[in-house]
Amino acid sequence: MKIKPNLENLSLTRKIFGFDENFKRRKLDVIEERPITLFLNNQEIVTMMTINDYPEYLAIGYLLNQNMITKKTRIEEVEYHDDLNAVIVRTLKVTNYEQKLKKKII
Protein backbone atom coordinates (compact mmCIF):
# COMPACT_ATOMS: atom_id res chain seq x y z
CA MET A 1 0.00 0.00 0.00
CA LYS A 2 1.37 3.41 -0.96
CA ILE A 3 0.62 6.39 1.22
CA LYS A 4 0.66 9.78 -0.45
CA PRO A 5 0.44 13.19 1.23
CA ASN A 6 -3.08 14.53 1.52
CA LEU A 7 -2.88 17.61 -0.71
CA GLU A 8 -6.20 18.85 0.67
CA ASN A 9 -4.77 19.09 4.21
CA LEU A 10 -4.05 22.81 4.58
CA SER A 11 -2.42 22.35 8.00
CA LEU A 12 0.68 20.86 6.31
CA THR A 13 1.66 24.20 4.78
CA ARG A 14 1.66 27.89 5.56
CA LYS A 15 1.63 30.90 3.29
CA ILE A 16 4.65 33.19 2.95
CA PHE A 17 5.66 35.92 0.58
CA GLY A 18 8.55 35.27 -1.77
CA PHE A 19 9.88 36.22 -5.17
CA ASP A 20 9.63 34.24 -8.38
CA GLU A 21 12.27 33.97 -11.11
CA ASN A 22 11.19 37.39 -12.47
CA PHE A 23 11.53 39.00 -9.02
CA LYS A 24 7.76 39.40 -8.75
CA ARG A 25 6.44 39.17 -5.21
CA ARG A 26 4.17 36.14 -4.82
CA LYS A 27 2.32 34.39 -2.03
CA LEU A 28 3.62 30.82 -1.76
CA ASP A 29 2.63 27.70 0.15
CA VAL A 30 5.59 26.18 2.01
CA ILE A 31 5.73 22.92 3.92
CA GLU A 32 5.94 23.46 7.66
CA GLU A 33 7.68 20.92 9.87
CA ARG A 34 6.71 20.52 13.50
CA PRO A 35 8.12 18.45 16.35
CA ILE A 36 6.31 15.30 17.42
CA THR A 37 7.28 13.18 20.42
CA LEU A 38 6.97 9.41 20.15
CA PHE A 39 6.17 7.30 23.20
CA LEU A 40 6.32 3.50 23.33
CA ASN A 41 3.98 2.42 26.10
CA ASN A 42 4.90 4.86 28.92
CA GLN A 43 8.41 5.69 27.76
CA GLU A 44 9.48 8.68 25.68
CA ILE A 45 11.53 7.45 22.74
CA VAL A 46 12.33 10.40 20.50
CA THR A 47 11.19 13.82 19.33
CA MET A 48 11.32 14.14 15.55
CA MET A 49 10.57 16.83 13.02
CA THR A 50 7.79 15.98 10.59
CA ILE A 51 5.22 17.57 8.33
CA ASN A 52 2.76 15.66 10.53
CA ASP A 53 0.99 13.83 7.75
CA TYR A 54 0.01 10.38 9.07
CA PRO A 55 1.80 10.59 12.44
CA GLU A 56 0.57 7.15 13.49
CA TYR A 57 2.29 5.50 10.51
CA LEU A 58 5.43 7.53 11.14
CA ALA A 59 5.57 6.27 14.73
CA ILE A 60 5.09 2.61 13.82
CA GLY A 61 7.61 2.86 10.97
CA TYR A 62 10.20 4.45 13.25
CA LEU A 63 9.77 1.75 15.91
CA LEU A 64 10.05 -1.01 13.29
CA ASN A 65 13.14 0.61 11.76
CA GLN A 66 14.83 0.85 15.17
CA ASN A 67 13.94 -2.79 16.01
CA MET A 68 11.96 -1.66 19.03
CA ILE A 69 9.00 -3.61 17.71
CA THR A 70 8.79 -6.32 15.06
CA LYS A 71 6.14 -7.29 12.54
CA LYS A 72 5.00 -9.87 15.09
CA THR A 73 4.57 -7.33 17.91
CA ARG A 74 0.91 -6.94 18.79
CA ILE A 75 0.06 -3.25 18.79
CA GLU A 76 -2.87 -2.62 21.10
CA GLU A 77 -3.40 1.06 20.35
CA VAL A 78 -1.89 4.04 18.58
CA GLU A 79 -2.99 7.44 19.93
CA TYR A 80 -2.18 10.76 18.32
CA HIS A 81 -2.62 13.91 20.40
CA ASP A 82 -2.44 16.99 18.20
CA ASP A 83 -2.62 19.35 21.19
CA LEU A 84 0.44 17.70 22.80
CA ASN A 85 2.33 17.00 19.55
CA ALA A 86 2.68 13.40 20.69
CA VAL A 87 1.92 9.91 19.45
CA ILE A 88 1.73 6.94 21.81
CA VAL A 89 2.11 3.35 20.64
CA ARG A 90 0.88 0.77 23.15
CA THR A 91 1.89 -2.88 23.00
CA LEU A 92 1.49 -5.90 25.25
CA LYS A 93 5.25 -6.41 25.10
CA VAL A 94 7.09 -5.02 28.12
CA THR A 95 9.71 -2.54 26.92
CA ASN A 96 12.51 -0.66 28.64
CA TYR A 97 14.78 1.32 26.37
CA GLU A 98 15.77 3.81 29.05
CA GLN A 99 19.38 2.59 29.39
CA LYS A 100 19.79 2.07 25.66
CA LEU A 101 18.59 5.61 24.85
CA LYS A 102 20.29 7.35 27.76
CA LYS A 103 23.36 8.52 25.82
CA LYS A 104 21.77 8.63 22.38
CA ILE A 105 20.95 12.01 20.90
CA ILE A 106 18.77 12.08 17.80
Side-chain angles (χ1 to χ4, degrees), residues 3 38-40 45-46 48 55-75 78 89 91 93 95 97 100 104:
I3 300 173
L38 168 59
F39 291 84
L40 178 56
I45 300 298
V46 68
M48 343 177 225
E56 296 90 346
Y57 294 143
L58 173 68
I60 292 169
Y62 180 89
L63 294 172
L64 280 166
N65 181 271
Q66 298 300 310
N67 294 316
M68 294 179 165
I69 63 173
T70 67
K71 291 180 180 180
K72 293 181 181 181
T73 301
R74 184 167 175 191
I75 296 172
V78 180
V89 177
T91 67
K93 179 182 171 187
T95 57
Y97 291 100
K100 184 177 180 181
K104 191 173 187 179

Side-chain angles (χ1 to χ4, degrees), residues 21-37:
E21 66 278 3
N22 297 315
F23 298 105
K24 289 185 181 178
R25 190 169 190 233
R26 298 204 185 264
K27 201 172 200 179
L28 306 167
D29 288 317
V30 295
I31 294 173
E32 186 169 45
E33 286 190 323
R34 297 184 289 170
I36 187 169
T37 303

Side-chain angles (χ1 to χ4, degrees), residues 6-15 29-30 32:
N6 179 359
L7 301 178
E8 305 299 317
N9 186 348
L10 299 178
S11 71
L12 301 179
T13 62
R14 67 182 170 103
K15 297 209 180 284
D29 288 317
V30 295
E32 186 169 45

